[in-house]
Amino acid sequence: MGTRNSLQLARRMAALEPSATLAMAARAQALAASGVDVIDLSVGEPDFPTPPHICAAAEAAIRAGKTKYTPAAGIPDLRKAVAADYTRRSGLTVTPAQVVVSNGAKHSLHNAFMALLDEGDEVVVPAPYWVSYAELIKLSGAKPVLIPTRIEDDFKLRPEALAAALTPRTRMLLLCSPSNPTGVVYAPDELAALADVAIEADLAVIADEIYDQLVFDGRQSPSFPTLRPGLADRTVVVAGVSKTYSMTGWRIGWTICPEPLSKAIGNLQSQETSNPCSVSQHAALAALTGPQECVADMRRAFEKRRDLVASRLAAIPGVRLPEIGGAFYAFFDIKAALARGTNGITTSAAWCESLLEKEHVALVAGSAFGAEGHVRMSFAAAEEKLTAGLDRIARFLGA
Ligand code: PMP
Ligand code: GLU
């Protein structure tokens, strides 16, 4: 008889945290189901319905019997459409073989980490970072090296800070622009400066570009590999349809990377999950090849909401936030409120708990994103909801 319980969890589970964003959304939903008037600004999920032409393509796919296994890396037409869309928008030619379609971009990230990282490898992740990065990196056996950034730098990683974080074990740099959780968009020269350090140190780069079409004020968000010659040989671009086309539940994301790695990721996926949902793939194909007005319409709506949220938050005494150039998040500093310690509240998690309890507004604590002293608000919600939520937040902060 061993000392190990039959269902004792594997060591890799010991440090695994559940997704804080999804956990808060579940709590808010449960509270709403019990009859409480909750304003849920926790999860980052567009509130728009999936555009009708995309849903119609999925219905047609079901009727046409496209309900069987597909090639594990995705149907050829979708891989072709992803490659064509990326080539058109970035100016960098990629082939369908460089694309693997997965069960959402979260799965794409997991695939990339599993395919590239060995036990003990280090991955530089600028903090604040999206909740799942650190956990997915740890699952692969590698170590996330979290580098704090400053609100004064708009939470952008500076090349000196990246260089200072490098060790002989550093294998990878992870970048997300437009950023979840801060909404900050790096300028091309800022990304190029980071690229120079990555090239010099021979790092792989994961460029999470899932919000690349959600940029405001006429900004462009250039794809990372376009910034320096040769960068495409060391970069995995991760993106998908969840945010751009309001398709979070369909679970379609992808990696774009050099062919040998793409093949390895396809092999991994063929053992892990087989293909992503066949019907969802047809929906994603319609999203990429159909009319694109829906993308511009949603972008305009998010930009208007950004104006509302940024101006209202900035007007609250003691609240600080960076310039929100894209995505749909406001990540604001509440250190002044925490320093007052009202009702014994001194952490962002306790502050969010109390806000939910007293004002019925759900936000996510900055600690979940590696930046204590801040909270994240998603503005992927209707303006009336945002206004009511902001009124409650302002009241809670005594403004
Ligand atoms: N990356 C970032 C930065 C995200 O915010 C999200 C949203 N959940 C994802 C990846 C994963 O998206 P998906 O819904 O396609 O898994
Ligand atoms: N990315 C979104 C968020 O950060 C969706 C939830 C998740 O996948 O974590 O809220």
Side-chain angles (χ1 to χ4, degrees):
M1 291 270 288
T3 50
R4 204 174 157 178
N5 177 302
S6 58
L7 291 184
Q8 186 173 318
L9 295 179
R11 274 191 291 277
R12 80 176 67 83
M13 296 302 292
L16 188 77
E17 300 278 349
S19 165
T21 44
L22 297 181
M24 193 50 150
R27 281 201 55 196
Q29 274 159 22
L31 210 57
S34 73
V36 176
D37 165 32
V38 180
I39 300 181
D40 181 9
L41 306 175
S42 63
V43 76
E45 173 166 53
D47 55 318
F48 303 106
T50 302
H53 70 279
I54 298 174
C55 297
E59 288 168 18
I62 294 174
R63 275 196 297 276
K66 313 265 190 210
T67 55
K68 302 293 176 73
Y69 291 135
T70 78
I75 54 175
D77 280 354
L78 180 53
R79 296 175 79 189
K80 215 164 106 188
V82 171
D85 175 69
Y86 181 81
T87 299
R88 182 180 56 79
R89 294 192 299 107
S90 72
L92 201 66
T93 303
V94 299
T95 65
Q98 291 179 256
V99 176
V100 173
V101 182
S102 303
N103 300 280
K106 195 181 269 187
H107 183 211
S108 305
L109 286 161
H110 179 64
N111 282 344
F113 297 140
M114 291 302 280
L116 284 172
L117 297 172
D118 276 316
E119 200 78 28
D121 284 346
E122 292 181 359
V123 182
V124 175
V125 182
Y129 57 86
W130 177 47
V131 283
S132 293
Y133 292 151
E135 299 309 310
L136 291 175
I137 291 167
K138 282 191 269 174
L139 266 186
S140 77
K143 180 177 163 203
V145 176
L146 309 173
I147 307 299
T149 58
R150 299 168 350 125
I151 200 166
E152 293 78 10
D153 294 329
D154 274 344
F155 291 120
K156 289 172 183 163
L157 178 66
R158 298 180 64 92
E160 314 82 79
L162 171 58
L166 300 178
T167 76
R169 311 202 75 157
T170 312
R171 180 75 216 289
M172 182 184 277
L173 165 65
L174 176 49
L175 290 174
C176 179
S177 176
S179 159
N180 179 1
T182 63
V184 161
V185 182
Y186 283 74
D189 61 323
E190 292 163 341
L191 287 175
L194 293 172
D196 289 338
V197 180
I199 292 168
E200 174 73 26
D202 198 19
L203 303 183
V205 180
I206 306 280
D208 185 340
E209 300 183 353
I210 195 159
Y211 297 100
D212 70 339
Q213 300 212 55
L214 285 177
V215 281
F216 310 138
D217 315 312
R219 277 184 180 75
Q220 296 290 320
S221 184
S223 185
F224 187 75
T226 64
L227 295 167
R228 289 280 187 256
L231 261 188
D233 296 336
R234 61 176 72 251
T235 304
V236 181
V237 173
V238 172
V241 292
S242 288
K243 318 291 170 168
T244 316
Y245 299 98
S246 196
M247 290 178 69
T248 45
W250 300 79
R251 311 309 304 133
I252 297 289
W254 51 78
T255 45
I256 303 175
C257 60
E259 207 174 313
L261 173 60
S262 192
K263 196 164 185 323
I265 289 176
N267 291 346
L268 172 67
Q269 185 161 295
S270 77
Q271 296 293 6
E272 233 177 8
T273 60
S274 303
N275 59 276
C277 169
S278 59
V279 175
S280 294
Q281 291 190 66
H282 286 279
L285 179 60
L288 290 176
T289 56
Q292 299 298 302
E293 286 79 23
C294 55
V295 177
D297 290 348
M298 290 192 266
R299 182 193 306 120
R300 271 192 293 274
F302 285 128
E303 183 163 339
K304 231 171 125 216
R305 294 166 180 187
R306 186 277 317 259
D307 293 344
L308 167 73
V309 166
S311 62
R312 287 278 319 261
L313 284 175
I316 301 175
V319 164
R320 295 197 304 161
L321 75 166
E323 190 183 351
I324 304 168
F328 35 66
Y329 304 105
F331 196 75
F332 55 99
D333 179 321
I334 54 160
K335 288 193 196 112
L338 298 181
R340 286 198 295 276
T342 314
N343 298 327
I345 296 170
T346 55
T347 65
S348 59
W351 191 90
C352 284
E353 277 299 319
S354 184
L355 180 73
L356 185 61
E357 201 182 294
K358 296 209 165 69
E359 294 288 352
H360 304 144
V361 176
L363 305 183
V364 186
S367 50
F369 305 98
E372 179 48 6
H374 302 79
V375 290
R376 189 192 78 172
M377 169 179 176
S378 161
F379 55 83
E383 272 173 52
E384 314 77 73
K385 223 166 130 183
L386 291 172
T387 304
L390 286 159
D391 288 345
R392 295 184 193 185
I393 292 168
R395 185 166 59 201
F396 187 69
L397 281 165

